[in-house]
Amino acid sequence: MTEITASPRTPPSPRTLRPLVSAGVVLGMGMGGFLDGILFHQLLQTHNMLSARRPKDSIANIEINMFWDGLFHSATWLLTAAGIAMLWHALRRDDVRHCGASFIGATLAGWGIFNLVEGVIDHFLLNIHHVVERLGQSVWDWAYLASGVVLIGVGIALIRPGPRRIATRSDRLIHDQE
Amino acid sequence: MPRVILCIMAMTMAAPALACPICDTATGQQVRSGIVDSHFAFNVVATLLPFPILIAIAAFIHFGGGGGRRSIP
């Protein structure tokens, strides 16, 4: 009686990039949020979460803005944690292509999506803050949106897999066995 | 010398603690009332509004849109 076993050379089909890309996008969104908070809210201090509604002209207002910055950072932390979990699951799947360039591209695209969505909502629709608060709505807010578009474009270009960049977990196992 | 050290510690450590949202001081009270004011609900929504949209975009990429599932030549 012949025992039927799965051949290690049998590749799972069809192969997909999507879980890796979605994990990268979510991670990019979270890290983009952190970059915004760290660079503009903390290091450069050009704005805070509600600095258009609560100008940073007193200790109390600075502290109040810091509270809302904290709520914003809590949400970006959750996004980043979700991205790590998604990446973990993607890397454990046999049918997911492992492509570094696509992952980096997805992360850049996620960062760009964050800049675009956050910029449109907070800087233009709600007007709760602007990139350089003392200028109000300015060219910097448009530059922020433009950075989002550029990052999405670069990200999409990198996500497209080239033949040399493609490998699944199964491919690497086969390669290791050889 | 100890007085100088105590003075420096008081100048550098006490001031920030006076203004925190849970501090039992006049400024702390001001901060609390500035956070939990009539605009609190709006501020929560405004701060968090981008995130449901970002999650929806990520869900679209993960479950639906694009051509992520292709066969490799």
Side-chain angles (χ1 to χ4, degrees), chain A residues 14-18 22 26 29 49-50 53-54 59-60 63-64 67-68 72 75-76 79 86 93 95 97 113-114 117 121-122 126 128 161 166, chain B residues 19-21 27 30-31 34-35 37 39-40 42-44 46-51 53-54 57-58 61-70 72:
Chain A
R15 297 173 185 176
T16 180
L17 259 181
R18 182 170 290 167
S22 56
V26 174
M29 288 171 174
M49 202 62 221
L50 298 181
R53 295 167 60 83
R54 284 261 180 199
I59 289 289
E63 294 281 328
I64 291 164
F67 173 86
W68 295 108
F72 169 77
T76 56
L79 261 187
M86 290 168 72
R93 280 175 56 171
D95 63 336
R97 294 183 233 170
I113 292 168
F114 175 87
V117 170
I121 292 175
D122 291 347
L126 299 176
I128 55 175
I166 297 166
Chain B
C20 72
T27 315
Q30 220 178 328
V31 172
I35 293 168
D37 60 4
H39 303 292
F40 181 78
F42 173 84
N43 291 339
V44 171
T47 302
L48 299 178
L49 187 59
F51 293 95
I53 295 165
L54 292 171
I57 293 169
I61 292 168
H62 188 77
F63 296 111
R69 190 169 276 273
R70 305 183 202 119
I72 298 171

Side-chain angles (χ1 to χ4, degrees), chain A residues 1 34 37 42 58 111 135 141:
Chain A
M1 190 174 179
F34 276 129
Q42 294 174 330
S58 67
W111 180 13
L135 300 176
D141 296 291

Side-chain angles (χ1 to χ4, degrees), chain A residues 83-98:
Chain A
I84 292 169
M86 290 168 72
L87 181 63
W88 173 260
H89 284 289
L91 294 179
R92 287 167 61 89
R93 280 175 56 171
D94 285 337
D95 63 336
V96 174
R97 294 183 233 170
H98 290 193

